[in-house]
Amino acid sequence: MKATTAKKIRRIAPGRDGIGPGGSTLLEALKRNRQLFEQTGHYHGVKSLKLKSDNYLRYESLHARLRSSVVNAREMAKKISASPGVREVGESVVALYTPEGDSIALSTGIMVHVHTLSRFIQWMIEHDYETDPGIAPGDVFANNDPFISDVHPPDLMNVAPIFHDGELIAWVGTVAHELEIGGVMGGANQSTTAERFGQGLTVSAEKVAVNDVIRRDFLVRAQMNLRTPIYYILDEKAMVAACIEVREKVLEIVAEHGVDYYKQAIRSIIEEGRRAHLERMRLITVPGKYRSAAFSGHVFEGKVGASGLSTNCIVHIPLEMTIDRDAVLTIDYEGAGSKMWNPYNCPPSAMDGGFFVTLTQFVDFDGKVNDGCWYATKMILPPGSWANPMDEATCTSSAWGSLMPGFGCLQRMISRSFFARGFREEVFLGQVNTPIMEGGGISQYGGRFGAQNLECAAEGSGARGIMDGIDCGYVGWNPESDMGNVEVWEMAIPILYLGRRIWRDSPGAGKYRAGATFSSLLLIHKTPVYNLVSTIHSDKTFDNQGMCGGYPGPTARFQYVSRASNIRELIANRQPLPHVEGDPKSPDLQRLVKGDFETVDGVFLERPLRDGDLVQFFYNTGGGYGDPIERDPAAVQVDLDKGIQSLDIARRVYGVVANYNSASKLHGVDEDATRQAREQCRRDRAARAIPVKEWLAGQRERLLKQDFVREVKEMYNDVFGISPRWGREFRDFWNLPDDFTFKS
Amino acid sequence: MNTYPKDLIRDLIDGRLPWPTTKQVMSDFKDAGRFETYIEILQERVSWQERILLPLGEHLYIVQKGKARIVKCDCGHEFGPYTENWKLSASIFVRDTDEKLEEIYPGARKCDPDWMEIREYCCPGCQTQLETEAVVPGYPIVFDFVPDLEAFYRDWLKKPLPSN
Amino acid sequence: MAGKALVLGIDAGGTMTDTFIVDEAGEFTVGKAATTPHDESVGFLESAADAMSYWQTDHKSVYPQLEVALYSGTTMLNTLLTRRGKNVGLVTTAGFEDDILMGRGMQSWTGYSYSDRIHAVTHVHPAALVERRNVYGVTERVDVFGEPIIPLYEHEVQAAAQELASNGVEAIVIHFLYSYLNPAHERRAHEIIQQALDRAGRKVPVYLGSDLRPVIRENSRLNAALIEAYAVGPVREQLHKVEESVQSRGYRYSLQTLLAYGGLCNIRYPRLHETLISGPVGGVMGARYISELTGMENIIVTDLGGTSFDIGTITRGYVPVDAEPVLARFKLNLPTIAMESIGAGAGSYVTVDPVTKKVQIGPGSAGSTPGPVCFGKGGKIATITDCDLLLGYLNPDYFLGGKQKLDKQAALDAVKEQVTSVIGVDVYTGSEAIVRMNEREARDAIRAVASARGLDTSQYYLFGYGGAGPLHLAGYCEGLDFRGVITFHFAAAFSAFGATTADYQHRYARSVPLALAAGADDKAKASVAQAINRTWEEMERAARDEMSADISRSQKIKFTHLAMIRYGGQLSDLEVVSPMARLRSARDVDRLIADWEDLYSKINSRVARYEQAGYQIFELGLLASVEKVKPRIERHRLGKSEPDKKARKGIRNIYWKGRWTPATMWEMETLKPGNRIKGPAIIEHPATTLIVPEGKRVEIDEYNFFWLK
């Protein structure tokens, strides 16, 4: 997109060329800022933190107040919002930026956006918004265009300039995750579309408020283009209110400290953030080269409602992490597959998002994180790959589908360095995919609706290095995770929960298991049509890894559906109803209910549901840590008593022999039998395992025979094409001819 | 700067420290002396003499053996130079059929073996499961970690590294 | 003792039980004794005897005079925190048996510091209050409209009842989805279970979600019910013992306790978990009493204690309520006086992040044990109090009237070594910087509360109390614009005093499904008005029944009518006081909405208004209160501005704004109404110290309140 060539509209105070620092234009300021870093290696050329050493109190209190201004504004915004996303599960963030768009301070919330708002601001600067449409006090700009800057379209962002004597001295930005943005299906993370054009209402860096008043035409557009405009409009109001709130507070602070001091201080705060990050890396990690890989497989072919453009595919998500001598962290996605005709592509800003949400949880969690940390890290995103499509028409509506496995790799690699350094309490195999139940149709109130059910925001987490993962309380994209109340979700969506319970045997197994996740069994209620979709399911593939001998978390691959069911009849006759999965071999929904039952492989249901239909939705959880047969039998017993594990899995996976006492309703572990079972397990391993070198020889034959399904071969061929380096490594590893490819 | 008694660190890494204390340690500033204490504890636990340079996993260590730096399991089994992937010298079992996957992942939990397999790497010495790998069939074995020992000891810890 | 004893206050802490006795003149005496968990009445009696000893009187004369015996304690909270409550059984909607384990995801991080909220590896759920095996799911479902979609499967309830009658549970909670809209299933299940219990001859208390807390959000409703069943039971027994022991000594009424939203209720009150958070309540009650007395109707109260800095507000006599607070990491809809609390207490630890070299105050605090370093009771980590001492603000020989000597050298070494030398500043500059940082935090918190509640501070008086309040009052008020800044010679015991001024008060809330479309006609408004009036009437009736026990016929119940309103589709509402007790016309409805919209735009800025969305009223509330005798606060004639010579204690250097300044020292107890003291000055009381910086002065008014000007 080119900068507009419209003739200059002077909106700036006389006696200055631009609204930027010292009368410069913002573009000049931005260039200078980048130059200063390249030349000096310090943010904005700030070599010494003398502001801090000269007057410690003044400096720290300024920093503290800037931070509390954004934290408080977020709390206010949450109260205004109508969206269960923002209000019930806190899907928002507020942050303060320099004139060049570097973040100074952030609230808690979706830390994903430390740098996405930066890119948005910088995009406007680079495209000379200063001239047209002009940037004036009281303006607010909105964006959810991922190729300007965003993680994906549901994240609606607002930024507002903060002026002092005609000079722009800061930006305030805020983001809210919308539950409905008017795409081809109801909801927000459109998974059935293959290009940006089906993603829903896209706002591309537009001026949406003037003099603190939201433009009528912007609200009208939302009103006309969304199924449930109330969420969007009240969130927009909440965000503008938050921007105004922060602006007022910042101007108070500036008045108190003097604008010159403020200007120096914000530079210093960011440089400090940069140095703090490097020092922390040096304190808690080990330098070296780390590798990990994840895969996300998707099924579209032959599915009613899928875009004809979307093919089955396996997303290749290789990650190499280097921590160098100077503690600079570099992550390199070399080998990532090409951009795709599906919603799982990530614009660079989305990759920033994934990077930051990981760093802030693992390294920079002292609450003083800012873009300094971005200046202390590097990310390499191969052009043309899903991680950097270089094509604005690419669909990114479910970018998280690739981000989460991708940055799950980063969590695992950083954890490995924590382990080596001795900080085992920081080892955390956090994130995996979060399937979001979304869709639209006719609501229980009779009107049209579209919404996401964000209860997925409290899945199980991967295991920790000294204890089990978090049960039903974690998602990678928002550390302040929550599933909200059923009584609230049922207000927003025409469903009646028959159950929301822990999914038995879901945790990735290990000496320390992953957190248990849950599944929801829903009766579609008081609607003639509800088009239900899932946003992400890594159909057919695990999207995460275990560590130190633990197993990956489950795929949550199937959803269960039962249409035209006899549920009403069952109810009338007081017969048992399904609430949980039950026996995986014959699920309760199939066993107890007559109806046409299907197990849906992955992302979406092909036909709309209606009143009386049933659906069971499964959520993911992460990988385990350590060899499962080294798990404390007492811990297994507790899991049995809580219903998190079954006797069957306890025996097979953990080698724990236990029994159930129906009188006490508790389980008992047979110590001796358990010891024997575990010894036997080691003997079995010895018996069935073969030396790796031997196995490799066999695998090489398989490669030469090309004995793989189409999707696998296509993944490899695609990667060979986009990354000769990766192809070379592959062929070297298997000792294959240099021209080896797969025939399709 | 924080320091913790050796016993506390021992209980911490064994997952035996009571939660309130564990939480404090997690929330508090990190202790710069952790690595040294950690290595001491680990060294006391292994039956063999070689010096531990860096732990790689629950049972794996990079140790100094004469002039060589090799990967060694706490059972005593040796995997060879740390600059080569220890997995290549391990034993392996692959779950690449529905039956084998069902043992661990009943029903909806499992992957499609045509799309992905689980590789279990065990120590030929003690049969402990050291790592698993969930990858697409035909995928090269992943080399998880090669530390930069020189930079770590000389530049970061400011400690000499035994010569090799 | 000036007049007859009026109020006996009992504050049973984890370690010590404090007793305070107030007489008509508002004078009070405090006694202490070790808490006796097995039977609290023992510790209480000792502590009371101790208090009376200061008045050279004994219980024979005191108890019969008492108008109120008031119990507040942390036992209930400790029972909860240490998980020593009852063995509870839970009967819930089938499919939700795991809610006790899943909780709300947010309970795994709520209450954490800013950094730990982001630092996800630290997140854990609080341990459940119910054993999973004691949870019984029974099939039933009521939907969002209150319509029963799945009838109660009574045979499943029967089966559960059989087990509950025999498996030794000590309390039973019945909790179904949407029971606040339609309690029929819970009530029927109760009947069945009660029959089973009766047949088995077992006396087990049964609690219903729809009785305890009939408002939306099942997780919060469940938590409230579980806590009532789990933690309150044991305490109730204690309370009855205490009541017996005061009554056997001549006290004529029932034992009272303090509710989280202010006000007293007697210990038979069916929702005693509402007394769980009573810590900061006393202070607000005291301030409200003073506001009625003096006509200062808008007040911001600030309580600076050892561990925290608490802020509350009173606007035109009304105290806002937080409907969904977090208690012991459980989210529950327990109406609580809305207090903001930050860890800026005087006992807060002062540490330095070795990486960023940033000074960090708190989150930890030394409390009373081990206490600050200067107490010499084993505290090793520097605290704000240690800095105060170094700066000359505290008198090493007059802390608690000299009972606690302060070790200056120890404080100096600790602060220097742990903090100031690390960040490379001189120890006094550093100490002042730290103290000012803490005061700055407190000031920002006041600002935040003011903007979050839409208050204009210049219209408010600020009350500063708590042991360390007067010490930092000047600091944390600097640069803020109030109508007046006031503290008290009994600042240290202000909360205790406040508790004795509370009225009998019950609060009621009920969910209702009311909506007003944008531009609704008068007919629609009238029907909404009717529905509102009906609910208010029901609640008034309930109030009369519940409160009659505590009041004489002559006493009137005062009602405050509340409506929780939101724009159509919003998920969060805002409580507004209705300008009238009944809505007689469509115009009255407009007035109610207008009042609400005013408040809403004050708090959320005008941008956030959205009339086009229409309005929803999902909850109505009622505050029922009955006056109770209170300590008098005497009005005195103003004396001369020059204090008595004997009040003057000499000169002490204090470190202020980077230099040592000689400050005059005064004895607070000896100062009189009318006196004025110019800063720099230090006004000392055995329990507190008031710092008057240079350029400020203190004036003592006719009520003997200290105005910092």
Side-chain angles (χ1 to χ4, degrees), chain A residues 60-112:
Chain A
E60 286 303 332
S61 64
L62 177 91
H63 188 177
R65 283 192 61 193
L66 291 176
R67 218 171 87 236
S68 60
S69 72
V70 289
V71 173
N72 296 331
R74 175 173 179 250
E75 290 312 308
M76 181 191 77
K78 275 163 78 173
K79 298 205 202 78
I80 303 171
S81 169
S83 126
V86 175
R87 170 59 177 73
E88 190 79 354
V89 298
E91 280 302 293
S92 66
V93 72
V94 181
L96 186 68
Y97 295 81
T98 64
E100 304 84 17
D102 294 313
S103 61
I104 305 162
L106 284 95
S107 72
T108 50
I110 28 181
M111 302 306 284
V112 174

Side-chain angles (χ1 to χ4, degrees), chain A residues 104 156 174 182 205 209 238 250 297 302 321 356 364 405 413 556-557 573 626 664 686 737:
Chain A
I104 305 162
L156 179 63
T174 172
V250 168
M321 170 178 103
F356 265 99
D364 303 285
M413 290 188 287
R557 173 174 160 194
N573 304 331
S664 68

Side-chain angles (χ1 to χ4, degrees), chain C residues 588-599:
Chain C
D588 286 356
V589 176
D590 295 338
R591 277 178 61 201
L592 177 64
I593 296 288
D595 279 17
W596 173 80
E597 210 145 40
D598 258 18
L599 183 62

